Amino acid sequence: MVTKSVPPVTLVIFGATGDLTRRLLVPAIINLTRSGLVGDDLTVVGVGIDEGDDEFLRQRLDEFLGHLSPQAEAQTTRDDAWDRLRSRISYRSGDFTKDEIYEAIKLRLGSAANIAFCLAVPPSLFGPIVEKLATHGLMEETDGCFRRVAIEKPYGTDLASARALDTQILAQVVEKQVYRLDHFLGKETVQNLMTARFANMIIEGLWSNNYIDHVQITAAETVDVGSRGKFYDATGALRDMIPNHLFQLLAMIAMEPPNSFDAEAVRNEKGKVLKALRVYSMEEAAANSVRGTYGTGNIDGQPLSAYRETKDVSSDSRTETYVALKLYADTWRWAGVPFYLRTGKALTARDTEIVITFNKVPFAQFRESEVTRHLPPNRLVIQVQPDEGISMEISIKRSGQSVETVPVSLDFRYADRFDIGHTTGYESLIYDLFIGDQTLFQRADSIEAGWAAVQPFLDAWSADNTIPETYVPGSMGPASADDLIRKDGREWHELGVVLHQRR
Ligand code: BG6
């Protein structure tokens, strides 16, 4: 596909002094500037609560970029991309709930034509900011110019609040102006899922309950909750990761082939499969889920206090830091195929992966052989991070005179073939926001469908007085998560065994 050029645009970032802006947004803009995908006609206006002038924000960013990891810093500062961008960054400070800041932004924007707003702020401010932008005429698209708003996650905290937020926002702007971010969709391997499926008959031809036994989707992290206690204790692993990141992966795996790669065609198919996720009763939700919280222990030789002892977390918190679910997508293609999802903090490895396990062969001619009695099913392992790649596990004949099968892995690693460099994952998302491509952004109906599928778990857990099961930091999670999958005669894929070690 031809790379579209970005028109002159002003990016207004709410929350300009926050962590997201300096860690992900600004480095992504620098990378885009370096690669030439955005030109020197991009202007950035930062908006924040802290008082200060343009130089205040620039210096803050200087300091942060100076403290990046050596790898990231080398990439960010090795040329003049940051210097060129720096002078085009300005800053306005004020209270996001008051009219004054919007007047100041308007004055600063002057006759700017194309404007993209990015809300890197707490979720309670999403609705109020969009209302104020619209009231001050900042969302009006005139003379063929665009006004777009990119909104971070979490988009709502349950089905009712997500719907209320959509009602509030869509009363001010139209859907085509709204870009709901899910940074997982910016990851290269996630975007590759569509190519892997729809450019390869060998994969797509086998992609149904005729050949697939079950699917596992995992996002395991070694990091603990750290300084995010306030946000996390009100959120938990389920809300933080499942209806957004993991459901986006599930949708990419389970969607029907779209008629084209147009945003609406792709989003229609993703929406359809998310709407087909079985909505459990509360009893079914309780039976098909496991919650855990990490206890005291060690990670990588470093002592870690239990989640409930984390700053800003209540000592009798019932918030989960781990969740495992068994779900079904009730469509013809996926009828009877369980989707096992799990995510958690303070686990043994950072490992985001999708594992497709195929049905066993119907009849083992090699039944005389010892190995064959345990003939493993074929597996397709899509490693999203780290060590991005795809591997296919198959059985072959061991060399020699006897007929003996051995499992081997056919591996492709991104790093072996491409210079994947140090990107933040936000590059594609910002670029698409500028060119007006909503493919990698979530549409209101998909978000609501996601919340509808997780709502029974939220309801079941809030009605249940028990606390989540404790697991040991650095482990694979709570023991009951193993039971959840073992009672179906299956096993979780081992965490942290990166592709080249699986050979
Ligand atoms: C964020 C969650 O959306 O995604 C975090 O709020 C989580 O809790 C993060 O750590 C994981 O993203 P990544 O890209 O590091 O896998």
Side-chain angles (χ1 to χ4, degrees), residues 4-49:
K4 277 197 190 165
S5 52
V6 170
V9 54
T10 302
L11 176 66
V12 181
I13 304 176
F14 283 84
T17 54
D19 195 49
L20 178 75
T21 303
R22 56 189 194 181
R23 225 166 29 86
L24 298 168
L25 295 177
V26 169
I29 300 168
I30 295 173
N31 288 340
L32 285 169
T33 308
R34 173 178 313 108
S35 65
L37 279 173
V38 304
D40 289 342
D41 44 15
L42 168 77
T43 312
V44 178
V45 181
V47 188
I49 308 223

mmCIF file of all heavy atoms in Angstrom, residues 4-49:
data_model
loop_
_atom_site.group_PDB
_atom_site.id
_atom_site.type_symbol
_atom_site.label_atom_id
_atom_site.label_comp_id
_atom_site.label_asym_id
_atom_site.label_seq_id
_atom_site.Cartn_x
_atom_site.Cartn_y
_atom_site.Cartn_z
ATOM 1 N N LYS A 4 0.476 7.249 2.757
ATOM 2 C CA LYS A 4 -0.178 8.546 2.542
ATOM 3 C C LYS A 4 0.624 9.627 3.233
ATOM 4 O O LYS A 4 1.167 9.413 4.323
ATOM 5 C CB LYS A 4 -1.574 8.520 3.175
ATOM 6 C CG LYS A 4 -2.639 7.892 2.334
ATOM 7 C CD LYS A 4 -3.987 8.325 2.883
ATOM 8 C CE LYS A 4 -5.087 7.536 2.233
ATOM 9 N NZ LYS A 4 -6.340 7.661 2.955
ATOM 10 N N SER A 5 0.654 10.857 2.629
ATOM 11 C CA SER A 5 1.385 11.901 3.332
ATOM 12 C C SER A 5 0.459 12.637 4.304
ATOM 13 O O SER A 5 -0.738 12.781 4.076
ATOM 14 C CB SER A 5 2.064 12.849 2.363
ATOM 15 O OG SER A 5 1.102 13.289 1.453
ATOM 16 N N VAL A 6 1.073 13.039 5.394
ATOM 17 C CA VAL A 6 0.322 13.704 6.458
ATOM 18 C C VAL A 6 0.142 15.174 6.092
ATOM 19 O O VAL A 6 1.103 15.850 5.755
ATOM 20 C CB VAL A 6 1.112 13.573 7.787
ATOM 21 C CG1 VAL A 6 0.523 14.453 8.878
ATOM 22 C CG2 VAL A 6 1.147 12.123 8.236
ATOM 23 N N PRO A 7 -1.075 15.698 6.159
ATOM 24 C CA PRO A 7 -1.269 17.121 5.863
ATOM 25 C C PRO A 7 -0.748 17.974 7.021
ATOM 26 O O PRO A 7 -0.524 17.442 8.111
ATOM 27 C CB PRO A 7 -2.800 17.230 5.769
ATOM 28 C CG PRO A 7 -3.323 16.123 6.610
ATOM 29 C CD PRO A 7 -2.309 15.017 6.553
ATOM 30 N N PRO A 8 -0.565 19.271 6.818
ATOM 31 C CA PRO A 8 -0.152 20.123 7.944
ATOM 32 C C PRO A 8 -1.185 19.982 9.061
ATOM 33 O O PRO A 8 -2.381 19.990 8.802
ATOM 34 C CB PRO A 8 -0.203 21.540 7.362
ATOM 35 C CG PRO A 8 -0.138 21.347 5.883
ATOM 36 C CD PRO A 8 -0.752 20.029 5.589
ATOM 37 N N VAL A 9 -0.717 19.815 10.281
ATOM 38 C CA VAL A 9 -1.649 19.559 11.378
ATOM 39 C C VAL A 9 -1.090 20.108 12.694
ATOM 40 O O VAL A 9 0.124 20.189 12.873
ATOM 41 C CB VAL A 9 -1.953 18.040 11.477
ATOM 42 C CG1 VAL A 9 -0.715 17.217 11.583
ATOM 43 C CG2 VAL A 9 -2.878 17.708 12.632
ATOM 44 N N THR A 10 -2.012 20.500 13.579
ATOM 45 C CA THR A 10 -1.609 20.874 14.933
ATOM 46 C C THR A 10 -2.133 19.804 15.878
ATOM 47 O O THR A 10 -3.314 19.461 15.843
ATOM 48 C CB THR A 10 -2.202 22.246 15.332
ATOM 49 O OG1 THR A 10 -1.755 23.208 14.378
ATOM 50 C CG2 THR A 10 -1.757 22.651 16.725
ATOM 51 N N LEU A 11 -1.232 19.265 16.688
ATOM 52 C CA LEU A 11 -1.629 18.247 17.664
ATOM 53 C C LEU A 11 -1.714 18.921 19.030
ATOM 54 O O LEU A 11 -0.724 19.497 19.514
ATOM 55 C CB LEU A 11 -0.579 17.129 17.697
ATOM 56 C CG LEU A 11 -0.801 16.039 18.750
ATOM 57 C CD1 LEU A 11 -2.055 15.217 18.458
ATOM 58 C CD2 LEU A 11 0.408 15.097 18.821
ATOM 59 N N VAL A 12 -2.888 18.877 19.633
ATOM 60 C CA VAL A 12 -3.058 19.478 20.968
ATOM 61 C C VAL A 12 -3.139 18.337 21.973
ATOM 62 O O VAL A 12 -4.050 17.503 21.904
ATOM 63 C CB VAL A 12 -4.346 20.331 21.027
ATOM 64 C CG1 VAL A 12 -4.498 20.961 22.407
ATOM 65 C CG2 VAL A 12 -4.339 21.386 19.931
ATOM 66 N N ILE A 13 -2.157 18.280 22.886
ATOM 67 C CA ILE A 13 -2.128 17.161 23.846
ATOM 68 C C ILE A 13 -2.585 17.651 25.220
ATOM 69 O O ILE A 13 -1.916 18.487 25.852
ATOM 70 C CB ILE A 13 -0.711 16.571 23.972
ATOM 71 C CG1 ILE A 13 -0.170 16.135 22.607
ATOM 72 C CG2 ILE A 13 -0.705 15.400 24.953
ATOM 73 C CD1 ILE A 13 1.272 15.626 22.641
ATOM 74 N N PHE A 14 -3.707 17.146 25.688
ATOM 75 C CA PHE A 14 -4.138 17.411 27.063
ATOM 76 C C PHE A 14 -3.417 16.412 27.956
ATOM 77 O O PHE A 14 -3.458 15.211 27.695
ATOM 78 C CB PHE A 14 -5.657 17.231 27.204
ATOM 79 C CG PHE A 14 -6.454 18.379 26.662
ATOM 80 C CD1 PHE A 14 -6.760 18.456 25.312
ATOM 81 C CD2 PHE A 14 -6.894 19.399 27.499
ATOM 82 C CE1 PHE A 14 -7.490 19.508 24.799
ATOM 83 C CE2 PHE A 14 -7.634 20.466 27.000
ATOM 84 C CZ PHE A 14 -7.929 20.516 25.649
ATOM 85 N N GLY A 15 -2.792 16.921 29.015
ATOM 86 C CA GLY A 15 -2.005 16.025 29.881
ATOM 87 C C GLY A 15 -0.560 16.022 29.406
ATOM 88 O O GLY A 15 0.123 15.008 29.460
ATOM 89 N N ALA A 16 -0.094 17.218 28.950
ATOM 90 C CA ALA A 16 1.229 17.296 28.304
ATOM 91 C C ALA A 16 2.390 17.069 29.262
ATOM 92 O O ALA A 16 3.493 16.742 28.824
ATOM 93 C CB ALA A 16 1.387 18.654 27.640
ATOM 94 N N THR A 17 2.148 17.252 30.567
ATOM 95 C CA THR A 17 3.272 17.043 31.492
ATOM 96 C C THR A 17 3.209 15.645 32.102
ATOM 97 O O THR A 17 3.994 15.302 32.975
ATOM 98 C CB THR A 17 3.252 18.093 32.622
ATOM 99 O OG1 THR A 17 1.956 18.055 33.234
ATOM 100 C CG2 THR A 17 3.536 19.470 32.094
ATOM 101 N N GLY A 18 2.277 14.850 31.652
ATOM 102 C CA GLY A 18 2.094 13.510 32.233
ATOM 103 C C GLY A 18 3.036 12.470 31.650
ATOM 104 O O GLY A 18 3.766 12.703 30.683
ATOM 105 N N ASP A 19 2.945 11.300 32.284
ATOM 106 C CA ASP A 19 3.822 10.194 31.955
ATOM 107 C C ASP A 19 3.640 9.667 30.530
ATOM 108 O O ASP A 19 4.584 9.407 29.800
ATOM 109 C CB ASP A 19 3.478 9.083 32.974
ATOM 110 C CG ASP A 19 4.526 8.024 32.986
ATOM 111 O OD1 ASP A 19 5.701 8.393 33.077
ATOM 112 O OD2 ASP A 19 4.162 6.835 32.869
ATOM 113 N N LEU A 20 2.380 9.548 30.132
ATOM 114 C CA LEU A 20 2.083 8.994 28.810
ATOM 115 C C LEU A 20 2.686 9.870 27.706
ATOM 116 O O LEU A 20 3.276 9.387 26.742
ATOM 117 C CB LEU A 20 0.558 8.901 28.633
ATOM 118 C CG LEU A 20 0.096 8.384 27.289
ATOM 119 C CD1 LEU A 20 0.313 6.889 27.207
ATOM 120 C CD2 LEU A 20 -1.379 8.685 27.068
ATOM 121 N N THR A 21 2.549 11.195 27.888
ATOM 122 C CA THR A 21 3.042 12.124 26.870
ATOM 123 C C THR A 21 4.544 11.989 26.695
ATOM 124 O O THR A 21 5.052 11.867 25.574
ATOM 125 C CB THR A 21 2.688 13.568 27.261
ATOM 126 O OG1 THR A 21 1.285 13.637 27.419
ATOM 127 C CG2 THR A 21 3.156 14.566 26.225
ATOM 128 N N ARG A 22 5.264 11.992 27.819
ATOM 129 C CA ARG A 22 6.721 12.004 27.646
ATOM 130 C C ARG A 22 7.274 10.620 27.332
ATOM 131 O O ARG A 22 8.257 10.482 26.620
ATOM 132 C CB ARG A 22 7.403 12.619 28.851
ATOM 133 C CG ARG A 22 7.036 11.937 30.120
ATOM 134 C CD ARG A 22 7.536 12.680 31.311
ATOM 135 N NE ARG A 22 7.412 11.763 32.435
ATOM 136 C CZ ARG A 22 7.743 12.061 33.648
ATOM 137 N NH1 ARG A 22 8.209 13.237 33.931
ATOM 138 N NH2 ARG A 22 7.608 11.173 34.599
ATOM 139 N N ARG A 23 6.619 9.567 27.866
ATOM 140 C CA ARG A 23 7.163 8.221 27.663
ATOM 141 C C ARG A 23 6.815 7.671 26.289
ATOM 142 O O ARG A 23 7.603 6.972 25.672
ATOM 143 C CB ARG A 23 6.593 7.298 28.743
ATOM 144 C CG ARG A 23 7.585 6.388 29.386
ATOM 145 C CD ARG A 23 7.070 5.743 30.661
ATOM 146 N NE ARG A 23 5.641 5.542 30.730
ATOM 147 C CZ ARG A 23 4.995 4.488 30.251
ATOM 148 N NH1 ARG A 23 5.651 3.538 29.629
ATOM 149 N NH2 ARG A 23 3.687 4.388 30.369
ATOM 150 N N LEU A 24 5.611 7.993 25.812
ATOM 151 C CA LEU A 24 5.162 7.335 24.578
ATOM 152 C C LEU A 24 4.836 8.304 23.447
ATOM 153 O O LEU A 24 5.292 8.119 22.325
ATOM 154 C CB LEU A 24 3.932 6.471 24.883
ATOM 155 C CG LEU A 24 4.200 5.333 25.899
ATOM 156 C CD1 LEU A 24 2.916 4.696 26.376
ATOM 157 C CD2 LEU A 24 5.093 4.274 25.276
ATOM 158 N N LEU A 25 4.040 9.347 23.745
ATOM 159 C CA LEU A 25 3.586 10.207 22.639
ATOM 160 C C LEU A 25 4.740 10.986 22.010
ATOM 161 O O LEU A 25 4.937 10.940 20.788
ATOM 162 C CB LEU A 25 2.501 11.179 23.122
ATOM 163 C CG LEU A 25 1.179 10.556 23.578
ATOM 164 C CD1 LEU A 25 0.209 11.621 24.095
ATOM 165 C CD2 LEU A 25 0.529 9.807 22.418
ATOM 166 N N VAL A 26 5.505 11.706 22.847
ATOM 167 C CA VAL A 26 6.566 12.536 22.258
ATOM 168 C C VAL A 26 7.637 11.679 21.575
ATOM 169 O O VAL A 26 7.999 11.952 20.415
ATOM 170 C CB VAL A 26 7.139 13.526 23.302
ATOM 171 C CG1 VAL A 26 8.403 14.202 22.794
ATOM 172 C CG2 VAL A 26 6.075 14.573 23.647
ATOM 173 N N PRO A 27 8.138 10.600 22.232
ATOM 174 C CA PRO A 27 9.102 9.766 21.485
ATOM 175 C C PRO A 27 8.525 9.239 20.160
ATOM 176 O O PRO A 27 9.240 9.146 19.162
ATOM 177 C CB PRO A 27 9.395 8.618 22.457
ATOM 178 C CG PRO A 27 9.171 9.212 23.816
ATOM 179 C CD PRO A 27 8.034 10.178 23.647
ATOM 180 N N ALA A 28 7.220 8.935 20.134
ATOM 181 C CA ALA A 28 6.628 8.455 18.873
ATOM 182 C C ALA A 28 6.631 9.566 17.824
ATOM 183 O O ALA A 28 6.922 9.315 16.647
ATOM 184 C CB ALA A 28 5.203 7.962 19.114
ATOM 185 N N ILE A 29 6.345 10.800 18.251
ATOM 186 C CA ILE A 29 6.347 11.917 17.278
ATOM 187 C C ILE A 29 7.770 12.155 16.767
ATOM 188 O O ILE A 29 7.997 12.440 15.589
ATOM 189 C CB ILE A 29 5.757 13.199 17.913
ATOM 190 C CG1 ILE A 29 4.308 12.944 18.352
ATOM 191 C CG2 ILE A 29 5.794 14.364 16.932
ATOM 192 C CD1 ILE A 29 3.735 14.026 19.240
ATOM 193 N N ILE A 30 8.741 12.003 17.675
ATOM 194 C CA ILE A 30 10.140 12.167 17.236
ATOM 195 C C ILE A 30 10.470 11.090 16.190
ATOM 196 O O ILE A 30 11.063 11.383 15.144
ATOM 197 C CB ILE A 30 11.100 12.063 18.449
ATOM 198 C CG1 ILE A 30 10.847 13.220 19.417
ATOM 199 C CG2 ILE A 30 12.555 12.056 17.988
ATOM 200 C CD1 ILE A 30 11.610 13.117 20.730
ATOM 201 N N ASN A 31 10.064 9.856 16.465
ATOM 202 C CA ASN A 31 10.331 8.779 15.493
ATOM 203 C C ASN A 31 9.659 9.059 14.152
ATOM 204 O O ASN A 31 10.236 8.802 13.096
ATOM 205 C CB ASN A 31 9.845 7.434 16.039
ATOM 206 C CG ASN A 31 10.732 6.927 17.170
ATOM 207 O OD1 ASN A 31 11.870 7.362 17.305
ATOM 208 N ND2 ASN A 31 10.210 6.030 17.980
ATOM 209 N N LEU A 32 8.443 9.590 14.203
ATOM 210 C CA LEU A 32 7.734 9.898 12.952
ATOM 211 C C LEU A 32 8.422 11.031 12.207
ATOM 212 O O LEU A 32 8.492 11.049 10.979
ATOM 213 C CB LEU A 32 6.283 10.292 13.250
ATOM 214 C CG LEU A 32 5.328 9.159 13.635
ATOM 215 C CD1 LEU A 32 4.009 9.721 14.162
ATOM 216 C CD2 LEU A 32 5.058 8.262 12.426
ATOM 217 N N THR A 33 8.951 11.995 12.972
ATOM 218 C CA THR A 33 9.663 13.121 12.351
ATOM 219 C C THR A 33 10.929 12.601 11.683
ATOM 220 O O THR A 33 11.256 12.955 10.550
ATOM 221 C CB THR A 33 10.042 14.162 13.438
ATOM 222 O OG1 THR A 33 8.875 14.488 14.163
ATOM 223 C CG2 THR A 33 10.641 15.415 12.836
ATOM 224 N N ARG A 34 11.628 11.738 12.388
ATOM 225 C CA ARG A 34 12.879 11.205 11.845
ATOM 226 C C ARG A 34 12.645 10.417 10.565
ATOM 227 O O ARG A 34 13.380 10.548 9.589
ATOM 228 C CB ARG A 34 13.561 10.296 12.875
ATOM 229 C CG ARG A 34 14.777 9.596 12.289
ATOM 230 C CD ARG A 34 15.496 8.722 13.284
ATOM 231 N NE ARG A 34 15.702 9.416 14.529
ATOM 232 C CZ ARG A 34 15.043 9.135 15.650
ATOM 233 N NH1 ARG A 34 14.174 8.164 15.658
ATOM 234 N NH2 ARG A 34 15.271 9.814 16.734
ATOM 235 N N SER A 35 11.579 9.622 10.582
ATOM 236 C CA SER A 35 11.350 8.782 9.411
ATOM 237 C C SER A 35 10.761 9.585 8.254
ATOM 238 O O SER A 35 10.588 9.058 7.163
ATOM 239 C CB SER A 35 10.404 7.645 9.774
ATOM 240 O OG SER A 35 9.146 8.195 10.110
ATOM 241 N N GLY A 36 10.432 10.846 8.507
ATOM 242 C CA GLY A 36 9.894 11.697 7.437
ATOM 243 C C GLY A 36 8.396 11.502 7.238
ATOM 244 O O GLY A 36 7.807 12.105 6.346
ATOM 245 N N LEU A 37 7.774 10.656 8.063
ATOM 246 C CA LEU A 37 6.330 10.438 7.889
ATOM 247 C C LEU A 37 5.535 11.664 8.312
ATOM 248 O O LEU A 37 4.448 11.915 7.814
ATOM 249 C CB LEU A 37 5.867 9.206 8.679
ATOM 250 C CG LEU A 37 6.139 7.874 7.982
ATOM 251 C CD1 LEU A 37 5.816 6.709 8.892
ATOM 252 C CD2 LEU A 37 5.344 7.750 6.687
ATOM 253 N N VAL A 38 6.047 12.415 9.287
ATOM 254 C CA VAL A 38 5.450 13.737 9.509
ATOM 255 C C VAL A 38 6.529 14.781 9.231
ATOM 256 O O VAL A 38 7.702 14.561 9.497
ATOM 257 C CB VAL A 38 4.834 13.945 10.919
ATOM 258 C CG1 VAL A 38 3.799 12.915 11.254
ATOM 259 C CG2 VAL A 38 5.892 14.020 11.989
ATOM 260 N N GLY A 39 6.084 15.877 8.680
ATOM 261 C CA GLY A 39 7.030 16.890 8.235
ATOM 262 C C GLY A 39 7.182 18.003 9.262
ATOM 263 O O GLY A 39 6.634 17.949 10.365
ATOM 264 N N ASP A 40 7.907 19.049 8.850
ATOM 265 C CA ASP A 40 8.146 20.149 9.766
ATOM 266 C C ASP A 40 6.947 21.080 9.865
ATOM 267 O O ASP A 40 7.013 22.130 10.506
ATOM 268 C CB ASP A 40 9.407 20.910 9.339
ATOM 269 C CG ASP A 40 10.652 20.060 9.618
ATOM 270 O OD1 ASP A 40 10.521 19.109 10.434
ATOM 271 O OD2 ASP A 40 11.709 20.326 9.024
ATOM 272 N N ASP A 41 5.849 20.696 9.207
ATOM 273 C CA ASP A 41 4.642 21.523 9.363
ATOM 274 C C ASP A 41 3.719 20.976 10.457
ATOM 275 O O ASP A 41 2.588 21.400 10.599
ATOM 276 C CB ASP A 41 3.881 21.649 8.029
ATOM 277 C CG ASP A 41 3.785 20.320 7.299
ATOM 278 O OD1 ASP A 41 4.037 19.281 7.948
ATOM 279 O OD2 ASP A 41 3.455 20.329 6.095
ATOM 280 N N LEU A 42 4.239 20.041 11.265
ATOM 281 C CA LEU A 42 3.482 19.592 12.432
ATOM 282 C C LEU A 42 3.780 20.541 13.594
ATOM 283 O O LEU A 42 4.941 20.866 13.856
ATOM 284 C CB LEU A 42 3.907 18.180 12.841
ATOM 285 C CG LEU A 42 3.392 17.746 14.221
ATOM 286 C CD1 LEU A 42 1.917 17.354 14.163
ATOM 287 C CD2 LEU A 42 4.207 16.597 14.788
ATOM 288 N N THR A 43 2.733 20.991 14.262
ATOM 289 C CA THR A 43 2.903 21.844 15.443
ATOM 290 C C THR A 43 2.283 21.123 16.622
ATOM 291 O O THR A 43 1.257 20.466 16.466
ATOM 292 C CB THR A 43 2.133 23.169 15.233
ATOM 293 O OG1 THR A 43 2.470 23.660 13.949
ATOM 294 C CG2 THR A 43 2.472 24.201 16.266
ATOM 295 N N VAL A 44 2.916 21.233 17.780
ATOM 296 C CA VAL A 44 2.369 20.571 18.969
ATOM 297 C C VAL A 44 2.041 21.616 20.025
ATOM 298 O O VAL A 44 2.873 22.478 20.333
ATOM 299 C CB VAL A 44 3.370 19.546 19.544
ATOM 300 C CG1 VAL A 44 2.813 18.887 20.806
ATOM 301 C CG2 VAL A 44 3.715 18.483 18.506
ATOM 302 N N VAL A 45 0.830 21.559 20.554
ATOM 303 C CA VAL A 45 0.466 22.436 21.670
ATOM 304 C C VAL A 45 0.201 21.522 22.872
ATOM 305 O O VAL A 45 -0.705 20.690 22.831
ATOM 306 C CB VAL A 45 -0.804 23.264 21.367
ATOM 307 C CG1 VAL A 45 -1.135 24.175 22.546
ATOM 308 C CG2 VAL A 45 -0.626 24.072 20.084
ATOM 309 N N GLY A 46 1.008 21.683 23.896
ATOM 310 C CA GLY A 46 0.796 20.892 25.107
ATOM 311 C C GLY A 46 -0.108 21.654 26.056
ATOM 312 O O GLY A 46 0.013 22.879 26.186
ATOM 313 N N VAL A 47 -1.011 20.941 26.710
ATOM 314 C CA VAL A 47 -1.888 21.599 27.683
ATOM 315 C C VAL A 47 -1.757 20.820 28.985
ATOM 316 O O VAL A 47 -1.849 19.582 28.985
ATOM 317 C CB VAL A 47 -3.360 21.572 27.220
ATOM 318 C CG1 VAL A 47 -4.224 22.418 28.134
ATOM 319 C CG2 VAL A 47 -3.496 22.034 25.779
ATOM 320 N N GLY A 48 -1.515 21.538 30.083
ATOM 321 C CA GLY A 48 -1.340 20.845 31.366
ATOM 322 C C GLY A 48 -1.795 21.711 32.523
ATOM 323 O O GLY A 48 -2.117 22.893 32.349
ATOM 324 N N ILE A 49 -1.793 21.114 33.691
ATOM 325 C CA ILE A 49 -2.228 21.848 34.891
ATOM 326 C C ILE A 49 -1.076 22.665 35.456
ATOM 327 O O ILE A 49 -1.270 23.780 35.928
ATOM 328 C CB ILE A 49 -2.716 20.838 35.961
ATOM 329 C CG1 ILE A 49 -3.738 19.910 35.352
ATOM 330 C CG2 ILE A 49 -3.195 21.559 37.226
ATOM 331 C CD1 ILE A 49 -4.943 19.585 36.116
#
